Amino acid sequence: MTHGPDERALFESQAADLYDAVLAAEGIATDDPRLADDAPERPAFDLLVDLGLVQLDAVSGTWMPEDPSTVQSRVVSPLSQQATQLLEESTHWARVFGSLSQSWRRSPMSEARGPFTYLHLGAIGPFLDGLVAEAEEEMLTAQPQSGRDAPSIAAAALRDIAMLERGVAQRTLYQHSARRSTVTMKYVSAVTARGAEVRTLDEFFHRMIVIDRRVAVIPASDDYKSAVVVREPSVVAFLADVFDRSFERARPFVNRESTTLRNIAGEQRAMTIRMLVEGHSDPVSAKRLGVSPRTYAGYVADLKSEYDAETRFQLGYAMGRAGVTGQEAVEDD
């Protein structure tokens, strides 16, 4: 018999504590109130019996604790075997679908559908998973900081690690603000350990994935609830070229040297100045920088302090007199 999440949750929350109590008392009597049918501890006790962690001593009429190490293999081994079987089964399914996908791409019907396909909501994730699973040579990804939560990044990590372990190359581009995200840092650590290259850039850009320079996926709306799958070779080549140029100017994510961090801070400062000079609203400017409105307001406050200005008008006047436009190049130290 295999035990699932419900049994594990009961084991962690109640049964383990009850086992410790039985162990400390060197047994528990059959007439103990905790073993009554309506006692709160009874489900936990039944689970201990089912697992074999307590055995009834018929002579003394006492339930005695057993060595957990002798029980563990009976519980864990079936689960491990089941996981292996599920993994093997999923591999077979993926292989069959991969063969069908290749047949589809070679068929006239694929061309008849045109070079652009629109996806909506729940269809986007499964499509990306299948697309990445088919990658043979390279995946390029541009990921703005907004719109990604911890569960989606964790799922992407599992998917991308499997791809990297097949020998597929990966290059990923983030905004500088991603360096302050704990979950993003964990993702980057996991994929770079397997050969991926990750860099950051000061500029805002939209999300994009390019697989083997033959198909690209880009947003079809600002809320990322729809996407466009692009198979037109000239458009895909253009998108890949834009990525290559941006990646060349970006800074390595894993580089934590003080010089690099100072240059990144300088680039974010210059970007903030450009947003002010161009007259963008705070929400738009924050999005362009990939930070929260509060963080952007902090950047502006720092500039006010630097130029001894109390209002944005005074700040603009002071920067204008100094000839500061935000277009000044940030020189590497």
Side-chain angles (χ1 to χ4, degrees), residues 147-279:
R148 302 191 84 200
D149 53 20
S152 66
I153 293 180
L158 294 175
R159 179 194 69 197
D160 297 348
I161 288 172
M163 178 200 68
L164 288 164
E165 291 179 344
R166 297 199 316 270
V168 178
Q170 176 185 348
R171 287 189 292 157
T172 294
L173 190 61
Y174 283 106
Q175 289 174 269
H176 286 330
S177 56
R179 294 170 180 266
R180 292 190 295 272
S181 168
T182 302
V183 292
T184 300
M185 291 176 63
K186 290 180 179 179
Y187 166 84
V188 172
S189 177
V191 297
T192 53
R194 292 164 174 82
E197 292 185 73
V198 183
R199 298 184 182 183
T200 63
L201 197 64
D202 61 337
E203 298 180 14
F204 171 78
F205 44 83
H206 282 293
R207 186 171 298 169
M208 178 177 70
I209 295 179
V210 181
I211 299 295
D212 295 337
R213 299 187 181 246
R214 62 175 176 80
V215 58
V217 182
I218 59 176
S221 59
D222 290 339
D223 57 9
Y224 297 115
K225 292 183 178 180
S226 58
V228 183
V229 182
V230 183
R231 295 185 178 87
E232 169 58 45
S234 60
V235 178
V236 175
F238 174 82
L239 294 173
D241 181 66
V242 171
F243 179 92
D244 288 339
R245 294 172 184 271
S246 298
F247 197 82
E248 184 67 26
R249 294 186 292 107
R251 300 184 183 275
F253 195 108
V254 295
N255 189 335
R256 310 297 296 177
E257 295 179 359
S258 59
T259 299
T260 299
L261 297 180
R262 284 197 301 272
N263 290 332
I264 288 172
E267 290 175 357
Q268 290 184 306
R269 174 183 179 277
M271 187 75 171
T272 302
I273 292 174
R274 291 199 297 273
M275 295 298 97
L276 289 169
V277 170
E278 294 170 11

Side-chain angles (χ1 to χ4, degrees), residues 7-327:
E7 290 81 5
R8 177 184 51 76
L10 177 61
F11 185 71
E12 290 178 328
S13 62
Q14 299 181 39
D17 291 339
L18 180 58
Y19 175 83
D20 286 339
V22 174
L23 184 63
E26 299 184 357
I28 185 171
T30 55
D31 59 353
D32 189 289
R34 289 172 292 180
L35 307 189
D37 291 340
D38 57 350
E41 296 88 349
R42 184 54 190 257
F45 175 75
D46 290 340
L47 179 58
L48 292 178
V49 174
D50 184 48
L51 292 172
L53 283 168
V54 292
Q55 299 282 347
L56 178 63
D57 184 341
V59 176
S60 63
T62 302
W63 289 95
M64 302 299 295
E66 297 293 324
D67 183 356
S69 62
T70 63
V71 177
Q72 178 178 343
S73 61
R74 296 201 304 268
V75 177
V76 176
S77 295
L79 292 172
S80 299
Q81 183 178 5
Q82 186 180 38
T84 301
Q85 292 172 344
L86 288 173
L87 181 60
E88 183 179 359
E89 186 68 19
S90 67
T91 301
H92 289 315
W93 277 101
R95 185 181 301 118
V96 174
F97 271 102
S99 176
L100 292 179
S101 297
Q102 292 177 5
S103 299
W104 168 263
R105 288 195 297 270
R106 290 192 298 264
S107 71
M109 285 196 64
S110 176
E111 297 182 2
R113 291 288 182 90
F116 304 101
T117 303
Y118 286 84
L119 302 174
H120 302 281
L121 295 175
I124 300 174
F127 179 85
L128 289 177
D129 291 341
L131 189 63
V132 173
E134 293 179 18
E136 298 176 352
E137 298 178 1
E138 177 189 52
M139 178 174 75
L140 311 177
T141 64
Q143 297 287 357
Q145 188 58 5
S146 60
R148 302 191 84 200
D149 53 20
S152 66
I153 293 180
L158 294 175
R159 179 194 69 197
D160 297 348
I161 288 172
M163 178 200 68
L164 288 164
E165 291 179 344
R166 297 199 316 270
V168 178
Q170 176 185 348
R171 287 189 292 157
T172 294
L173 190 61
Y174 283 106
Q175 289 174 269
H176 286 330
S177 56
R179 294 170 180 266
R180 292 190 295 272
S181 168
T182 302
V183 292
T184 300
M185 291 176 63
K186 290 180 179 179
Y187 166 84
V188 172
S189 177
V191 297
T192 53
R194 292 164 174 82
E197 292 185 73
V198 183
R199 298 184 182 183
T200 63
L201 197 64
D202 61 337
E203 298 180 14
F204 171 78
F205 44 83
H206 282 293
R207 186 171 298 169
M208 178 177 70
I209 295 179
V210 181
I211 299 295
D212 295 337
R213 299 187 181 246
R214 62 175 176 80
V215 58
V217 182
I218 59 176
S221 59
D222 290 339
D223 57 9
Y224 297 115
K225 292 183 178 180
S226 58
V228 183
V229 182
V230 183
R231 295 185 178 87
E232 169 58 45
S234 60
V235 178
V236 175
F238 174 82
L239 294 173
D241 181 66
V242 171
F243 179 92
D244 288 339
R245 294 172 184 271
S246 298
F247 197 82
E248 184 67 26
R249 294 186 292 107
R251 300 184 183 275
F253 195 108
V254 295
N255 189 335
R256 310 297 296 177
E257 295 179 359
S258 59
T259 299
T260 299
L261 297 180
R262 284 197 301 272
N263 290 332
I264 288 172
E267 290 175 357
Q268 290 184 306
R269 174 183 179 277
M271 187 75 171
T272 302
I273 292 174
R274 291 199 297 273
M275 295 298 97
L276 289 169
V277 170
E278 294 170 11
H280 296 291
S281 66
D282 281 9
V284 170
S285 300
K287 182 178 180 180
R288 291 281 297 273
L289 278 158
V291 298
S292 68
R294 177 178 295 182
T295 299
Y296 176 75
Y299 292 168
V300 176
D302 289 341
L303 286 172
K304 287 181 179 178
S305 176
E306 179 180 344
Y307 285 93
D308 195 23
E310 295 183 0
T311 67
R312 293 198 181 195
F313 178 81
Q314 292 174 339
L315 175 61
Y317 179 77
M319 289 193 301
R321 291 196 61 183
V324 177
T325 64
Q327 302 293 338

